[in-house]
Amino acid sequence: MSLFVLFQFFSYYILNITIDFSLITGGIESRSYYGNYRPSGFLPEPAVYCGHMSGLLSLYLFYNKKIDKCFILGVLSIFITQSTVGIILISLIITIYLFSFKTNKNKLILILVFLIIILLFIAPEIINRIDLFAQGIDTSNNLKIDAVINFFKDDNVFTFGYGLVSRDHIELPTYYEAIKDLTIFGSILSIFGVFFGTTIIIILLYIVISSKVEMKYKLILFVPLLKLCSPSYVFFYIYILIFFIILINNKENFNRLPKKL
């Protein structure tokens, strides 16, 4: 996945050739062309790519317990997409991993420098998004707010949720595009409603808290679900399945798995 993003990046900025895998495979144009070009591989937009890649990188850290060349390649691809949410996700994952070691002066300095670099890198984009949001023209986040407001205003939706629908019909309100992009907790509530959704969240938190997996890896594995939370993507089901398998089984069982797994 990382190599395809790199391929798109160099093709566009060096050869001036646009390669859109979404069009090539028979779909619609990917959302990579708002402002400057931002590659997204085989996925429809950079943020969605970063949600998938952050999930893969979290699993990679859990099974390999180290940051190596393959991991760095995945991180590089996220930065190349220029996705703010992607950079935040991978920054959280790396920070949690670094903090998990015995803290000393050198490691604290390393973490601080890393966070400062990340902040400087994404600060202009964050400020711009806040400004757009305040003006009501940040399509993504403003639609999420509209979906949340309607969730609380509509008694039927509040009780039973929106269901597993998206904006599948032109007559549906535009905020239906955002109802499953509200982190794992928000998506559960928006899909199943407040009563069933709250029950599912309690069960989820119980499994996470009671699991014997080391806390740092619980957090690392949970971070991607802040973005990777839409049942519209098959990888969500794959990731959530592996996530629960890891949590329910003892950590020692995974340490005995063959290295080539």
Side-chain angles (χ1 to χ4, degrees), residues 8-9 12-13 18-20 30 32-40 80-82:
Q8 284 181 312
F9 180 82
Y12 183 85
Y13 286 104
T18 301
I19 298 176
D20 192 328
S30 63
S32 298
Y33 309 96
Y34 295 98
N36 57 319
Y37 176 74
R38 303 184 301 151
S40 58
I80 287 175
T81 66
Q82 303 169 57

Side-chain angles (χ1 to χ4, degrees), residues 17-137:
I17 298 174
T18 301
I19 298 176
D20 192 328
F21 293 113
S22 183
L23 288 175
I24 292 172
T25 54
I28 62 174
E29 185 178 71
S30 63
R31 286 171 282 181
S32 298
Y33 309 96
Y34 295 98
N36 57 319
Y37 176 74
R38 303 184 301 151
S40 58
F42 280 102
L43 290 157
E45 64 174 276
V48 174
Y49 170 83
C50 291
H52 285 62
M53 180 54 68
S54 64
L56 292 173
L57 292 175
S58 293
L59 292 171
Y60 192 89
L61 272 184
F62 175 78
Y63 284 109
N64 292 281
K65 307 292 190 293
K66 63 180 179 180
I67 294 178
D68 57 14
K69 293 179 181 178
C70 289
F71 184 87
I72 293 172
L73 179 62
V75 173
L76 177 63
S77 73
I78 287 178
F79 275 86
I80 287 175
T81 66
Q82 303 169 57
S83 167
T84 302
V85 68
I87 294 171
I88 291 173
L89 289 176
I90 196 58
S91 299
L92 286 172
I93 291 169
I94 294 175
T95 302
I96 292 168
Y97 182 76
L98 293 176
F99 261 121
S100 66
F101 297 128
K102 290 182 179 180
T103 56
N104 56 49
K105 185 178 179 180
N106 292 334
K107 282 178 180 156
L108 286 174
I109 292 174
L110 175 63
I111 294 169
L112 181 61
V113 171
F114 171 74
L115 292 176
I116 290 174
I117 293 173
I118 296 300
L119 181 61
L120 291 174
F121 187 85
I122 66 174
E125 179 61 23
I126 292 176
I127 293 171
N128 181 55
R129 292 297 291 271
I130 292 174
D131 184 54
L132 293 174
F133 179 73
Q135 297 178 49
I137 55 177

